[in-house]
Amino acid sequence: MSNYAKEQGVVEEINEAINRWIEYAKDNVKRGQDDKRFLYVSQWDSQQSQELNRLQKPEMSFNKTYDIIRKVIAEQRNHKTQFKVSSLLGKSDEETLNVFKGAITKIARDSNSSSVFDRAYDDAASMGFGAWRVYTDYEHEKSFNQLPKLAWIPDPEKCFWDTVCSDPTVS
C-alpha cells in the first residue's frame, strides 16, 4: 500500500469521526444556539415573528433570564482565576516552584487570560458550553522562539468534546 493510500485512509477516518461527532452533538449545539439567540437577540423564532407581523401585533419580550445570566457572569468576573503551582511528588524546591509560577503568570498576563476566561464563561453561562485554547506563537516575526498563549474560541460549538469523559468540566 502506498503512502498516498495510507494518508487517504487516515483522512477518511478523520472525516468519519468528524461526521459522527457532528451528528452526535447537533441537538446540543442547536439548543445552545437557540438559548443564546433567546438571551441576546429575540425570544421569538422567525416563524413566530412572521405570524405576529402578519397579525400586526408587536413582538413583546419579557426576558427575565438576561438579568440573571448577566449577574452570574458579573460574579465570575469579580472572582478572578488564580493559578496555584505545587510539586506533584513533593520533590521540587520553593525556588523551582517560583520560577514556574512566574512563567505561568507571565503567560496569563501576556494572553490577557482574565478576558479569555470571562468570554468562555459567558458562552458557558448563556449556551451551556464555552471554550478556550492553549497554543504557541512566535515571539516576534524574526524569531524562532515560540511562546505559549491562551485564546478564547469564539465558536465553541465547533469544538470537539470528549463524549466519555467523567469530569463535568470535560477537562
Side-chain angles (χ1 to χ4, degrees):
M1 183 182 272
S2 70
N3 283 341
Y4 179 76
K6 289 178 187 176
E7 289 173 4
Q8 280 301 109
V10 171
V11 169
E12 287 175 17
E13 188 178 330
I14 290 169
N15 281 333
E16 287 175 19
I18 289 171
N19 290 332
R20 279 195 314 269
W21 167 255
I22 290 170
E23 183 63 30
Y24 173 82
K26 73 179 178 184
D27 185 50
N28 193 36
V29 167
K30 171 104 173 69
R31 288 173 187 245
Q33 290 170 340
D34 289 345
D35 287 348
K36 202 164 193 174
R37 189 177 307 106
F38 179 88
L39 186 64
Y40 293 119
V41 179
S42 175
Q43 294 180 9
W44 305 97
D45 64 25
S46 61
Q47 196 174 29
Q48 292 168 329
S49 290
Q50 288 174 357
E51 185 64 19
L52 288 170
N53 287 335
R54 187 184 69 75
L55 297 171
Q56 296 181 342
K57 293 189 175 191
E59 291 184 27
M60 298 184 74
S61 295
F62 303 96
N63 193 343
K64 295 181 180 184
T65 57
Y66 180 81
D67 292 335
I68 294 167
I69 296 290
R70 297 316 306 167
K71 182 179 179 186
V72 168
I73 291 168
E75 286 178 14
Q76 191 274 337
R77 284 187 175 146
N78 289 334
H79 298 92
K80 294 295 179 197
T81 303
Q82 298 293 319
F83 297 101
K84 182 177 180 181
V85 178
S86 61
S87 175
L88 187 61
L89 301 174
K91 296 182 180 179
S92 299
D93 60 8
E94 197 64 33
E95 184 178 332
T96 304
L97 294 175
N98 285 337
V99 168
F100 280 109
K101 185 176 182 180
I104 291 169
T105 302
K106 180 177 180 350
I107 292 165
R109 186 184 60 243
D110 291 349
S111 299
N112 195 10
S113 66
S114 62
S115 174
V116 170
F117 297 146
D118 289 347
R119 293 168 90 178
Y121 188 83
D122 188 315
D123 285 338
S126 62
M127 69 186 295
F129 46 92
W132 52 273
R133 67 188 182 118
V134 179
Y135 68 102
T136 58
D137 197 10
Y138 290 102
E139 196 170 18
H140 52 78
E141 62 185 47
K142 294 183 179 182
S143 174
F144 288 106
N145 295 333
Q146 292 187 2
L147 302 173
K149 298 193 181 230
L150 303 172
W152 168 63
I153 298 175
D155 294 326
E157 64 268 11
K158 293 185 176 68
C159 294
F160 295 84
W161 311 99
D162 185 357
T163 57
V164 295
C165 70
S166 59
D167 189 281
T169 64
V170 195
S171 60

